[in-house]
Amino acid sequence: MSSENSNLFQHLRQILADGIDPLDREDEIWAAYGQRVSVMVLDSTGFSRVTEQYGILHFLSRLVLLRDIVKPVLVANNCLQSKFEADNAFAIFESPDDAIKAAFAVHHQVENEKLMLTENEPFSVCVGIGYGDMLYSETLEGYFGEEMNLASKLGEDTADGGETLITENAFSAASHQLLTDFEPRQIHVSGLDVTCYLAKHPGSNSPDA
């Protein structure tokens, strides 16, 4: 791929400028920018509630400590790339096995480090995991696809503190021995009824955000 076409959005912009429907180039676009990966979306609990009560600086100080805990755990579990945005983390793995192992390790390490959200409330995180074909754009855009959308919904909007939710695709592709703690759940996401699978970390603590 030439350097000028290394960004998916730049490529799409050029196709549109040439008066071409991108759907007519769909196979070409997927061949150039498609990747089959597993994505892990991590969210923290309590952002709105704790910020209102203690102020933004208190919560940001917790995020600094959380990032210092999470990053080495991701690296140790074969994370291909990761980024942090506000109280979220996005991590890419080659397989759902690596993503699931990383999720469990993050839950364990956050608990083990005894990170506190407030004086009396332990910090906890929520995780969503997806797996499948996604389009990748360099720079800050990242990955796009149904499994990215679902993982984001599961991690940010559905899971409670100490919980890991994985998509049906991730469940089907993961090793059986990693799935013994997962139970099926039916949820309604963006107008769709979706099957996902839930595992709770033994020390989970899930007050309202």
Side-chain angles (χ1 to χ4, degrees):
M1 188 188 310
S2 63
S3 59
E4 62 268 21
N5 288 331
S6 61
N7 183 286
L8 170 63
F9 283 84
Q10 292 176 357
H11 190 57
L12 290 175
R13 184 177 292 109
Q14 184 60 57
I15 289 175
L16 291 169
D18 292 340
I20 300 171
D21 186 342
L23 291 178
D24 293 336
R25 299 284 182 87
E26 186 169 9
D27 290 343
E28 169 194 311
I29 291 170
W30 275 101
Y33 302 99
Q35 297 181 22
R36 181 166 294 177
V37 294
S38 188
V39 57
M40 185 181 88
V41 180
L42 178 149
D43 193 14
S44 65
T45 61
F47 178 84
S48 300
R49 171 174 50 83
V50 172
T51 297
E52 181 177 353
Q53 185 175 359
Y54 293 89
I56 187 62
L57 281 178
H58 172 85
F59 196 87
L60 290 179
S61 70
R62 303 299 92 189
L63 286 186
V64 170
L65 298 175
L66 176 67
R67 292 181 179 187
D68 289 344
I69 293 170
V70 170
K71 183 67 174 181
V73 175
L74 298 179
V75 172
N77 285 275
N78 304 316
C79 177
L80 301 176
Q81 59 175 275
S82 63
K83 65 178 180 178
F84 293 90
E85 294 181 0
D87 64 329
N88 301 121
F90 300 85
I92 301 299
F93 301 85
E94 184 175 342
S95 71
D97 283 11
D98 286 338
I100 291 169
K101 290 176 184 177
F104 289 167
V106 165
H107 286 305
H108 175 77
Q109 194 63 21
V110 169
E111 181 183 12
N112 190 54
E113 292 286 342
K114 302 187 185 304
L115 179 61
M116 301 296 291
L117 186 59
T118 67
E119 290 182 358
N120 301 312
E121 181 182 336
F123 204 110
S124 60
V125 295
C126 326
V127 176
I129 294 172
Y131 174 70
D133 294 329
M134 305 181 205
L135 290 172
Y136 175 68
S137 182
E138 289 188 3
T139 69
L140 296 178
E141 282 92 354
Y143 287 83
F144 296 86
E146 181 180 4
E147 288 293 301
M148 170 60 84
N149 294 342
L150 285 174
S152 296
K153 290 291 186 181
L154 295 180
E156 298 181 74
D157 300 332
T158 309
D160 289 326
E163 293 183 346
T164 298
L165 279 168
I166 67 175
T167 66
E168 196 162 19
N169 276 3
F171 185 87
S172 297
S175 297
H176 178 74
Q177 61 266 28
L178 293 176
L179 303 175
T180 56
D181 292 329
F182 284 93
E183 298 179 352
R185 291 287 188 274
Q186 294 292 327
I187 62 172
H188 194 70
V189 176
S190 300
L192 300 173
D193 292 319
V194 174
T195 299
C196 61
Y197 296 83
L198 167 68
K200 292 187 177 183
H201 181 67
S204 62
N205 184 304
S206 55
D208 294 336

